[in-house]
Amino acid sequence: MRKLIVFLIVLIVLLVAVDRVAVAGVERDLANRIAAASNLSGTPTVTIEGIPFLTQAVSGRYPEVRFNLGTFTYGGVPVKNLRGAAYDVTAPLADVLQNRANVLAQRVAISGTLTRATIDRYAPKGVKIGGNGQRLTASGEVMMGVNKVKFNAEMRVELADGGIRIQAEKIQGVPDQFARLVSYTIPFKGDLPFDVKVTGVKSVAEGLEFSAEASDVPIRG
């Protein structure tokens, strides 16, 4: 009986070791595929969620694969902490081991942050962007005739055709019609990884965080 228990313990340890070695190999392959799909010069961090891994590998289906792409430039706009997840990934083990192209994610969701420095960079001259993490604010000076007048404003953030629109919603110190001098668009054009489409944007402590999604995404080698 004692020998049986020892054998079972050794077997479990071996299975766990094999499981971890296998997951590392598939994570490495998926990282290379994601780097290729995203035109990255480096290799992203990839984590396959859920255990035991071997059960997923044998079935060729992974419920969730998380990845971190780091800093990414999108249409000339730097995006910090670009990260996301691929859900319901179909990746037959033979295809992964032989680097075939037959890997598909039912859905990919990513998010990233535009820093305060980036938001400031696109602001009109004389406009300084601030905020408390819940919404953006703006302060500065605008020309009224030949005079410079100081203002403070609350800003609304929304998706616009070809970018992220930052619109003065409440402005103090100048008439409401001067809000257009404070409002501007951050151009957000180009190709995000996996051809995801931006679906939302919100104000956070670091700046603006956007979210994007795509369906039926091939992850090619």
Side-chain angles (χ1 to χ4, degrees):
M1 184 68 178
R2 184 176 179 182
K3 289 182 178 179
L4 177 61
I5 293 174
V6 171
F7 172 76
L8 291 175
I9 292 173
V10 172
L11 180 61
I12 291 171
V13 171
L14 287 173
L15 287 174
V16 170
V18 171
D19 186 272
R20 293 300 89 194
V21 170
V23 73
V26 175
E27 284 176 348
R28 183 166 56 250
D29 177 83
L30 290 176
N32 291 332
R33 291 172 181 267
I34 291 171
S38 309
N39 293 319
L40 296 179
S41 56
T43 303
T45 302
V46 171
T47 304
I48 296 175
E49 300 293 333
I51 52 174
F53 166 77
L54 288 177
T55 303
Q56 300 181 62
V58 170
S59 69
R61 299 189 69 87
Y62 305 87
E64 183 177 353
V65 177
R66 306 199 68 83
F67 53 85
N68 192 326
L69 305 179
T71 298
F72 190 90
T73 300
Y74 175 57
V77 178
V79 176
K80 185 180 178 183
N81 195 22
L82 188 63
R83 63 203 181 280
Y87 298 98
D88 295 322
V89 177
T90 301
L93 189 57
D95 291 345
V96 172
L97 294 176
Q98 298 181 40
N99 198 31
R100 295 174 185 160
N102 192 23
V103 175
L104 183 73
Q106 191 173 86
R107 182 171 70 93
V108 171
I110 69 172
S111 62
T113 302
L114 277 62
T115 65
R116 290 283 178 81
T118 296
I119 300 168
D120 256 344
R121 190 177 105 197
Y122 288 93
K125 186 177 180 180
V127 175
K128 179 67 177 177
I129 298 296
N132 56 10
Q134 295 181 333
R135 70 180 306 159
L136 294 179
T137 60
S139 60
E141 297 179 332
V142 295
M143 294 297 298
M144 289 184 63
V146 294
N147 299 315
K148 285 185 177 180
V149 180
K150 292 184 179 181
F151 73 90
N152 290 287
E154 293 185 5
M155 310 296 282
R156 182 177 72 250
V157 180
E158 58 191 9
L159 295 180
D161 185 24
I164 294 175
R165 181 70 177 167
I166 301 177
Q167 179 79 36
E169 192 170 37
K170 298 177 181 178
I171 191 163
Q172 299 174 345
V174 298
D176 289 346
Q177 59 263 35
F178 282 85
R180 61 183 176 79
L181 300 177
V182 180
S183 305
Y184 63 103
T185 300
I186 299 176
F188 217 47
K189 299 178 181 179
D191 295 323
L192 277 170
F194 312 112
D195 292 327
V196 294
K197 304 301 180 187
V198 179
T199 56
V201 61
K202 63 180 181 180
S203 179
V204 294
E206 296 83 5
L208 292 176
E209 182 180 86
F210 71 88
S211 53
E213 290 193 10
S215 300
D216 299 324
V217 179
I219 306 177
R220 299 182 176 88

